[in-house]
Amino acid sequence: MEKIFLSIIVPMYNVEKYIARCITSILNQMTLECELIIIDDCSEDKSMDVCKEIVSRFHEKNVYI
């Protein structure tokens, strides 16, 4: 039986106010068969800093920024 692997892709552009809730929710629901890919489209706010801080708390998850 083949193993199913799920990739979740989150595009991000100037969503500093909302990205923490989004990323935390996804990471809390992820299993080892999942990966999270965050794509920043040159945000002009601190979205990337917020993401890096949250992701650092979930070091056992498969996250790519």
Side-chain angles (χ1 to χ4, degrees):
M1 180 179 237
E2 279 190 50
K3 208 171 199 185
I4 297 175
F5 196 83
L6 176 66
S7 295
I8 302 167
I9 300 172
V10 176
M12 177 175 69
Y13 179 75
N14 290 344
V15 289
E16 180 182 1
K17 294 179 183 180
Y18 313 103
I19 198 67
R21 183 175 178 200
C22 174
I23 300 301
T24 302
S25 176
I26 292 168
L27 290 172
N28 282 328
Q29 297 176 61
M30 281 178 53
T31 65
L32 293 176
E33 291 81 28
C34 297
E35 68 180 353
L36 173 60
I37 301 168
I38 302 168
I39 300 176
D40 182 26
D41 193 16
C42 300
S43 293
E44 298 170 352
D45 62 1
K46 297 186 186 213
S47 297
M48 182 60 78
D49 296 332
V50 172
C51 278
K52 287 180 179 177
E53 193 275 321
I54 292 169
V55 167
S56 70
R57 291 185 265 155
F58 292 88
H59 54 82
E60 73 283 355
K61 305 287 184 167
N62 297 316
V63 180
Y64 308 98
I65 300 177

